[in-house]
Amino acid sequence: TYDTIYGEADQTLGISTVTGMVTFFPMETGLFLRGGLGLASFSEELKIPGATYSVDSRGVAYAAGVGYAFWLGRSFNLTANLDFSGQSYGGGDGPDSTRFWALGLGFDWY
């Protein structure tokens, strides 16, 4: 990218989470709810001619979701789900928190 003040600039941003999830089927099949807690990491790096600036933050992650499992036989299903994920870093040089929504498709084999 090109910055009008510094000239050529290269910026990298990364958010990583490791979350343990629990899934609950209130009607035994079909609809499911899930939630979890884990660890979060935020990193940002900006490279401009003559200097590199970086920020790394660690914190906690939390997630919640809802979905539906379409059963295909006794031990296999296809799923559609909507999940929310939030991360809290506790301030510092990086952001206080980040969050996002994810729409997903998946499969399970039991």
Side-chain angles (χ1 to χ4, degrees), residues 38-84:
L39 302 174
S41 172
F42 174 87
S43 63
E44 182 179 16
E45 183 176 79
L46 175 63
K47 292 181 182 179
I48 58 174
T52 299
Y53 302 97
S54 63
V55 172
D56 289 305
S57 299
R58 306 268 185 271
V60 296
Y62 49 93
V66 63
Y68 196 88
F70 300 94
W71 286 90
L72 305 171
R74 296 184 70 190
S75 59
F76 185 76
N77 67 41
L78 299 175
T79 61
N81 54 287
L82 177 64
D83 296 322
F84 172 80

Side-chain angles (χ1 to χ4, degrees), residues 2-109:
Y2 186 79
D3 185 271
T4 57
I5 297 173
Y6 299 110
E8 288 295 319
D10 185 26
Q11 185 174 19
T12 306
L13 175 72
I15 298 172
S16 301
T17 62
V18 175
T19 309
M21 299 288 284
V22 174
T23 303
F24 172 64
F25 286 85
M27 298 179 290
E28 293 187 26
T29 62
L31 178 71
F32 63 85
L33 307 170
R34 64 175 154 198
L37 294 172
L39 302 174
S41 172
F42 174 87
S43 63
E44 182 179 16
E45 183 176 79
L46 175 63
K47 292 181 182 179
I48 58 174
T52 299
Y53 302 97
S54 63
V55 172
D56 289 305
S57 299
R58 306 268 185 271
V60 296
Y62 49 93
V66 63
Y68 196 88
F70 300 94
W71 286 90
L72 305 171
R74 296 184 70 190
S75 59
F76 185 76
N77 67 41
L78 299 175
T79 61
N81 54 287
L82 177 64
D83 296 322
F84 172 80
S85 178
Q87 301 78 34
S88 178
Y89 307 106
D93 292 334
D96 290 336
S97 64
T98 55
R99 57 191 168 275
F100 57 89
W101 290 90
L103 183 62
L105 298 173
F107 62 91
D108 298 306
W109 179 49

